[in-house]
Amino acid sequence: MIRINEIKLSLDEDENLLAEKAAKILKINKKYIKSLSIFKKSVDARKKDDVHFTYSIDISISLDEDQIVSKCKSPKVSVTKPYVYEIPGNRRVSKYRPIIVGFGPAGMLAGIILAEAGLKPIILERGKDIDARQKDVNEFWTKRKLNEESNVQFGEGGAGTFSDGKLTTGIKSPFIRKVLQELYEAGAPEEILYSSKPHIGTDRLAIVVKNIRKKIEKLGGEVCLETKLEKLIVYNGFVQGITYTRKGKTADIEADSVIMAIGHSARDTVEMLYNLGVEIIQKPFSVGARIEHPQSLINKAQYGKFADHPKLGAADYKLACHGLHERGAYTFCMCPGGTVVAAASEKEGVIVNGMSSLARDGENANSALLVGIETYDFPSKHPLAGIYYQREIEHRAFELAGADYKAPAQLVGDFLAGKESTALGNVKPTCPTGVSLTNLDECLPAKVCVTMKSAIVEMDKKLNGFNLYDAVLTAPETRSSSSVRILRNEFCQCNISGVYPCGEGAGYAGGIVSAAVDGIKCAHAVLDDEH
């Protein structure tokens, strides 16, 4: 197979031209091309007067590929082999089925791998199935009645289910392709296999996670919803089993392999592990707010005169300004045409996130505007101090906004001027539980506010209109990543043998894809353990 990079098409050119352009680059007749597939597609908007698509494509030809590549002498062309995932051999001799705690991206992919290996994993998820979970979330959003076990954070699919379903990642791993293929086979759009900025959309994610559950069950795995891990049963440094609660009844399961894919919000589970003596350390995290602009403003800033072109859709952005020796401020999980999400999982706490549908056709764009919180910013040296710090900010927001799960909000112009907002402008906030206008200086840590204010001014130089006076800041965003890391060795096990800390909640991932990849790694570690 031959890969050709950097093929350019204008917005008005048809993708059928890719074969013709490929033949020209290879200096062959187009009739020799047997197949063509898009490996990567991206929008190049660096020059606002020349917004276009750039492609990497894979083709097979009925000629000697090595000879053709050698003759064409182009740095854009190479011979490549298609990626094929191969499940490693199972070296386990244990009679017990492996257990996975959590059915988010890490737990789902770990479950797929172990089920494909024939190990019939047992997966515990404290929240409900996706259909019942959606009802509970809507109940919270419309009536502000929070179910602490079934919400935006907990339930089938994990926290990523109520998000943009963004599949971009900064990690490098061959397993990324396996993750994308599994998501596509479960119902995600085909574009995720080649888009440079793939996303699924909240509406499609519900279908995907349900189909992944069905696949695992068909392979002999068991997904136990509304089933909460209470504790690990440990003897002499080895896990012997687990205790769980389901529908008011408590029971034990014998096990010697437990993957802890618990997500970043299962704070009670982290405390249980800490009390058992599991080695946990502080980890930097981020705090900030969601910033909402009109999507039309973002489109114009990014695409110029091409802003309304039907092939482009809603524009996104990624901005950062780094402080000296710190992570500074940055945008995260940008949701084009999306909404701000009320994402609480604990009583008397307010947090926000963002989501968008596959179509990304909402009136507003929103993104997290975050400031890095280093461990020296934590209030104490306690390993769980970051969790307590997050909780303190979330409770302060709850009280400030009226103690009814509305979120504190402020106009960007007022935030920069340091004065309380008293009325909205042209941007209407989308947080479904409503907002309470206030001064975010009273909600967020001083360091966060100071850094956010300077960042908004600097980011406006990179994206015209970012400091729009009427843009709305809704706070707080505290759960972009875990504030702890559960230490593990080269075999992916913590200091309790047979326990595998996994994914975002364990401090080893930062999004859907990276968490899913870590789930694959931990599943491989289970398969490689000979006990």
Side-chain angles (χ1 to χ4, degrees):
M1 182 178 288
I2 298 174
R3 179 162 298 158
I4 306 175
N5 297 314
E6 298 179 35
I7 297 182
K8 173 181 172 180
L9 288 183
S10 74
L11 299 183
D12 295 320
E13 287 183 304
D14 193 277
E15 287 182 351
N16 290 330
L17 290 173
L18 288 172
E20 183 178 315
K21 289 177 179 278
K24 186 175 181 180
I25 292 170
L26 295 177
K27 301 174 183 177
I28 63 173
N29 192 302
K30 190 173 75 170
K31 69 180 183 181
Y32 294 116
I33 297 178
K34 295 193 296 183
S35 66
L36 182 153
S37 61
I38 299 172
F39 178 73
K40 191 72 69 178
K41 176 182 179 181
S42 60
V43 177
D44 188 336
R46 289 173 294 179
K47 296 180 180 179
K48 297 298 181 280
D49 61 345
D50 182 27
V51 178
H52 60 272
F53 293 114
T54 300
Y55 295 81
S56 292
I57 63 171
D58 290 336
I59 66 171
S60 60
I61 60 176
S62 56
L63 299 170
D64 187 311
E65 293 184 347
D66 290 310
Q67 187 179 60
I68 293 298
V69 168
S70 178
K71 281 186 175 181
C72 81
K73 296 180 180 179
S74 171
K76 300 178 183 179
V77 180
S78 62
V79 175
T80 187
K81 291 183 179 180
Y83 171 75
V84 178
Y85 171 79
E86 293 184 6
I87 196 164
N90 177 20
R91 301 173 65 187
R92 282 171 57 87
V93 295
S94 172
K95 65 180 180 179
Y96 300 115
R97 296 164 68 182
I99 290 175
I100 300 168
V101 182
F103 198 56
M108 288 191 291
L109 265 293
I112 287 173
I113 301 304
L114 294 180
E116 287 180 336
L119 295 189
K120 300 180 180 179
I122 300 170
I123 304 174
L124 277 57
E125 168 54 53
R126 66 194 294 170
K128 297 181 182 179
D129 68 81
I130 187 61
D131 295 327
R133 182 185 180 197
Q134 286 177 320
K135 292 178 182 177
D136 290 332
V137 169
N138 288 331
E139 178 90 352
F140 175 55
W141 287 350
T142 56
K143 299 178 181 178
R144 302 180 204 148
K145 294 181 179 179
L146 177 64
N147 184 332
E148 290 186 275
E149 297 297 338
S150 178
N151 48 59
V152 169
Q153 307 296 341
F154 299 142
E156 184 175 25
T161 303
F162 289 91
S163 73
D164 189 51
K166 211 175 309 302
L167 303 177
T168 49
T169 179
I171 68 169
K172 303 291 184 183
S173 170
F175 299 148
I176 291 174
R177 194 69 184 172
K178 170 67 170 174
V179 173
L180 296 179
Q181 287 170 344
E182 289 293 342
L183 294 172
Y184 168 61
E185 289 174 10
E190 186 180 9
E191 299 88 74
I192 70 166
L193 298 177
Y194 57 78
S195 173
S196 63
K197 296 178 180 179
H199 84 288
I200 301 177
T202 311
D203 47 342
R204 190 71 74 88
L205 273 165
I207 299 168
V208 170
V209 299
K210 191 182 300 185
N211 286 337
I212 288 176
R213 167 167 47 95
K214 291 178 180 177
K215 175 175 181 174
I216 292 170
E217 291 171 338
K218 187 176 181 180
L219 290 169
E222 185 178 353
V223 180
C224 305
L225 298 161
E226 298 182 65
T227 304
K228 183 178 178 180
L229 173 72
E230 297 295 343
K231 66 177 181 179
L232 299 177
I233 301 170
V234 180
Y235 179 74
N236 211 23
F238 289 80
V239 67
Q240 306 291 312
I242 65 163
T243 299
Y244 69 91
T245 299
R246 186 178 191 183
K247 296 182 179 179
K249 296 182 179 180
T250 300
D252 296 339
I253 303 176
E254 286 188 87
D256 52 20
S257 297
V258 182
I259 294 177
M260 298 293 293
I262 59 177
H264 58 42
S265 292
R267 292 165 169 172
D268 52 355
T269 305
V270 173
E271 288 182 321
M272 178 271 291
L273 294 173
Y274 176 74
N275 291 332
L276 273 177
V278 172
E279 294 178 350
I280 299 175
I281 63 171
Q282 296 180 344
K283 176 182 156 296
F285 66 104
S286 297
V287 171
R290 282 273 148 183
I291 184 167
E292 287 192 270
H293 298 90
Q295 182 62 52
S296 58
L297 180 150
I298 305 300
N299 292 346
K300 186 175 181 181
Q302 296 293 67
Y303 296 147
K305 66 181 181 179
F306 299 99
D308 296 323
H309 198 286
K311 283 189 179 181
L312 288 175
D316 64 3
Y317 59 80
K318 184 177 182 180
L319 304 169
C321 16
H322 297 290
L324 185 63
H325 307 306
E326 293 189 350
R327 287 171 295 144
Y330 60 98
T331 62
F332 176 79
C333 187
M334 192 272 164
C335 298
T339 59
V340 171
V341 176
S345 60
E346 295 180 344
K347 296 288 187 184
E348 299 187 355
V350 166
I351 62 170
V352 293
N353 196 358
M355 73 177 193
S356 56
S357 66
L358 179 60
R360 289 177 163 175
D361 55 0
E363 186 175 333
N364 288 359
N366 77 80
S367 175
L369 176 58
L370 300 177
V371 175
I373 301 293
E374 311 301 328
T375 55
Y376 55 72
D377 295 314
F378 290 11
S380 78
K381 299 295 185 182
H382 192 285
L384 309 188
I387 288 177
Y388 306 146
Y389 194 23
Q390 288 173 319
R391 186 177 282 148
E392 177 188 328
I393 296 168
E394 294 160 11
H395 181 67
R396 190 187 311 152
F398 177 79
E399 295 288 344
L400 183 64
D404 61 357
Y405 295 106
K406 287 181 182 176
Q410 189 175 14
L411 301 190
V412 164
D414 293 337
F415 179 64
L416 294 177
K419 64 180 183 179
E420 180 177 330
S421 290
T422 56
L424 293 169
N426 292 322
V427 180
K428 305 304 178 188
T430 57
C431 182
T433 52
V435 301
S436 178
L437 293 176
T438 184
N439 187 341
L440 295 186
D441 286 324
E442 299 177 27
C443 171
L444 300 172
K447 168 188 175 179
V448 172
C449 291
V450 169
T451 308
M452 281 174 59
K453 288 173 184 178
S454 63
I456 288 170
V457 174
E458 288 301 310
M459 289 176 179
D460 185 70
K461 298 174 183 177
K462 302 175 183 179
L463 195 153
N464 186 36
F466 193 79
N467 69 349
L468 178 72
Y469 197 106
D470 286 356
V472 178
L473 289 164
T474 308
E477 173 129 358
T478 54
R479 308 269 186 101
S480 62
S481 64
S482 176
S483 61
V484 298
R485 174 165 286 130
I486 304 172
L487 297 182
R488 68 189 191 191
N489 59 25
E490 67 271 28
F491 306 109
C492 292
Q493 298 182 46
C494 70
N495 58 313
I496 297 177
S497 294
V499 176
Y500 300 78
C502 181
E504 192 164 333
Y508 295 97
I512 291 174
V513 170
S514 59
V517 165
D518 203 54
I520 295 175
K521 289 179 181 177
C522 287
H524 284 192
V526 170
L527 291 170
D528 199 44
D529 191 346
E530 294 180 311
H531 79 278

